Amino acid sequence: MSIFHRRQGIVNVRMVITEEKILSNIDKIQKLINPNSKKQIVQLDDDAYFKDLIDSIKTYLIEYPKKKNFPPAVYKAAYELVEYATNQFEENTRKIEDLIVKREQNIEASIKLRNVLEAVENKEKDWKNQIKDVSNLFQEDIIETLGIIGRCKSKTSQNYNDALKLIKARISNLESNLHIEIDMERIEDRSKALSYIGIEVAEALKGIPTPIEEVVVGEEKTEQEKYIEQTTFEVKPSLWNRIKQSKIARAISYVFRIKVKLELPNALPEGRGE
């Protein structure tokens, strides 16, 4: 059992934290950030429980009295938590990149559909060819509806107005990218939690020498040396640097700083040179 004293404001709070408790907290965090778990972290800013779990681990790492005798099981579990969180963050950023591409494709498709609709409404000479040109971009019901608009002789008929309403709704959906925006926000919340682990836990681990469980020889010694090299934060500074340095991490910052909204019917928003 390890007994630490932590100052909170002007009040000293006596904490009794066992190795088993910390390992249990690490396991709870693993489950909260596991994308396959039913109960996952939703919003970091509002999740005091998640932050308390992280804080307990950070405190244990920083205030453990004899760093050279630090429990190997806790060190290994904490290191693996950071590595897992970092890998999950990178996976999230790959998903963000895919969503960015999809959103750009939707915006481009909305412009093409709007242009074809205008040609069909105005009965331009090549309106049938224009529909054919986009037939591989849209579902069959959209293509058929464009044909209905083009063939209608009266713009006051019920068929015409129903068809027009359907196409305009499709254009609006492509422009708004609502489902993509929702997915991005969910990923952003998870990524905030994952990077929080990297910042808080990985930095605290840097002050602890890699524990050596027992003296070994031969091949086992070689494996142990490899493990120490791979898990010593002084040799390999914080894993979360991978988060800051990765190009896909910059993509995440870009996405949540700039929400692409299509305000002009026939033009994309101006770029920012990034």
Side-chain angles (χ1 to χ4, degrees):
M1 179 180 294
S2 302
I3 303 176
F4 306 140
H5 298 275
R6 182 177 61 174
R7 179 174 295 275
Q8 295 182 342
I10 60 173
V11 180
N12 285 326
V13 180
R14 193 166 187 262
M15 298 176 57
V16 179
I17 309 177
T18 65
E19 178 180 338
E20 292 75 16
K21 179 63 176 177
I22 290 301
L23 289 173
S24 174
N25 287 353
I26 291 174
D27 182 64
K28 290 175 182 177
I29 294 171
Q30 286 272 19
K31 291 177 180 177
L32 286 172
I33 64 175
N34 187 328
N36 298 320
S37 297
K38 292 182 179 179
K39 184 179 180 181
Q40 297 180 33
I41 177 130
V42 178
Q43 292 206 356
L44 174 65
D45 295 338
D46 300 330
D47 201 322
Y49 173 70
F50 178 81
K51 288 185 175 180
D52 285 345
L53 289 174
I54 297 296
D55 188 56
S56 70
I57 296 168
K58 178 183 177 183
T59 300
Y60 189 93
L61 295 172
I62 293 175
E63 299 187 8
Y64 196 86
K66 296 181 180 180
K67 298 293 194 294
K68 291 183 179 180
N69 296 326
F70 193 85
V74 175
Y75 183 94
K76 180 180 179 182
Y79 182 93
E80 289 177 351
L81 173 65
V82 174
E83 187 169 42
Y84 180 76
T86 305
N87 290 337
Q88 286 294 312
F89 184 96
E90 292 178 339
E91 178 62 27
N92 279 359
T93 52
R94 281 190 284 272
K95 292 178 180 178
I96 284 293
E97 283 196 322
D98 291 340
L99 289 173
I100 291 173
V101 172
K102 180 62 177 176
R103 185 172 61 179
E104 291 174 350
Q105 290 173 342
N106 284 353
I107 292 174
E108 184 179 353
S110 72
I111 294 173
K112 290 182 178 180
L113 185 54
R114 187 183 291 277
N115 290 338
V116 173
L117 176 61
E118 182 179 352
V120 172
E121 281 189 286
N122 295 331
K123 299 294 190 297
E124 295 180 8
K125 291 182 179 181
D126 64 339
W127 68 267
K128 291 182 180 180
N129 288 332
Q130 288 196 43
I131 292 177
K132 185 177 180 180
D133 290 341
V134 298
S135 60
N136 63 326
L137 297 177
F138 303 102
Q139 296 177 346
E140 187 176 345
D141 63 326
I142 295 297
I143 300 303
E144 290 179 353
T145 303
L146 287 170
I148 291 173
I149 295 173
R151 291 190 296 271
C152 281
K153 296 181 179 180
S154 172
K155 291 187 177 182
T156 60
S157 69
Q158 187 67 40
N159 285 345
Y160 181 91
N161 286 300
D162 288 346
L164 187 63
K165 183 177 179 180
L166 189 151
I167 297 299
K168 287 185 176 181
R170 179 60 174 162
I171 293 173
S172 179
N173 289 338
L174 288 169
E175 289 176 348
S176 67
N177 285 296
L178 181 60
H179 66 287
I180 291 180
E181 297 292 339
I182 292 174
D183 287 344
M184 284 183 172
E185 289 178 2
R186 289 174 179 170
I187 294 175
E188 179 190 31
D189 289 330
R190 276 182 44 77
S191 293
K192 283 181 180 179
L194 295 169
S195 61
Y196 187 72
I197 293 172
I199 294 169
E200 299 296 323
V201 179
E203 289 300 311
L205 270 172
K206 288 172 65 176
I208 301 175
T210 302
I212 300 177
E213 297 187 43
E214 59 183 34
V215 177
V216 292
V217 295
E219 293 183 3
E220 291 184 4
K221 182 177 181 180
T222 300
E223 290 300 318
Q224 186 182 68
E225 289 174 349
K226 185 186 297 183
Y227 168 77
I228 292 174
E229 181 180 356
Q230 291 174 344
T231 59
T232 299
F233 276 77
E234 291 182 0
V235 175
K236 295 180 69 176
S238 304
L239 284 173
W240 77 286
N241 279 337
R242 286 158 53 190
I243 294 175
K244 297 187 296 181
Q245 294 171 355
S246 66
K247 66 176 183 178
I248 48 183
R250 292 196 295 272
I252 242 190
S253 174
Y254 172 79
V255 168
F256 298 114
R257 193 172 63 249
I258 306 170
K259 296 293 186 181
V260 176
K261 298 294 184 184
L262 192 64
E263 297 180 355
L264 300 177
N266 294 316
L268 286 169
E270 291 184 2
R272 297 182 62 172
E274 297 186 23

